[in-house]
Amino acid sequence: MSQATPAPTRGYSATKEQLQTRLRRIEGQVRGIQNMVEEDRYCIDVLTQISAIQAALDKVALGLLDGHVGHCMHEGAAEGRSDEMTAEMMAAVGRLMKRG
């Protein structure tokens, strides 16, 4: 008989429900853009909605980064992995900043 291992605590664990709600809203916005294209809506209107989705995703990403710094990096520093964690986070920030 084995015990189930508990899910690891992540930087976003405390706000997971809020994060999932925000992601479902973004998912709905993407579906809305699909409908706009299907309906041959004006290009600028579609682009405006894409911009809104990008802003919403950026907000999610910043929240995740904040949680990562406050929780994961704090734990990593306590374990002596500060340099490794910093490099990992900066690589993630670099990927987020590369667009277009």
Side-chain angles (χ1 to χ4, degrees):
M1 192 183 285
S2 65
Q3 287 188 13
T5 47
T9 303
R10 304 289 183 206
Y12 58 83
S13 292
T15 60
K16 187 174 182 178
E17 191 172 316
Q18 179 184 3
L19 176 63
Q20 289 177 320
T21 298
R22 182 169 284 157
L23 289 169
R24 280 191 292 274
R25 189 175 306 125
I26 292 168
E27 182 181 23
Q29 288 176 292
V30 171
R31 281 193 305 274
I33 289 175
Q34 289 173 317
N35 291 336
M36 290 175 79
V37 170
E38 179 66 31
E39 296 167 0
D40 296 318
R41 297 280 296 273
Y42 185 56
C43 300
I44 298 302
D45 292 342
V46 175
L47 291 169
T48 299
Q49 291 306 309
I50 290 171
S51 178
I53 290 169
Q54 287 174 329
L57 284 171
D58 286 346
K59 190 168 183 175
V60 167
L62 286 173
L64 287 170
L65 279 172
D66 184 57
H68 181 70
V69 169
H71 175 78
C72 302
M73 289 194 67
H74 181 74
E75 281 187 359
E79 297 168 0
R81 300 182 308 127
S82 182
D83 290 344
E84 171 192 342
M85 298 290 290
T86 299
E88 181 183 55
M89 187 189 74
M90 292 310 295
V93 170
R95 287 189 302 273
L96 283 171
M97 293 181 74
K98 279 186 182 176
R99 276 204 268 178

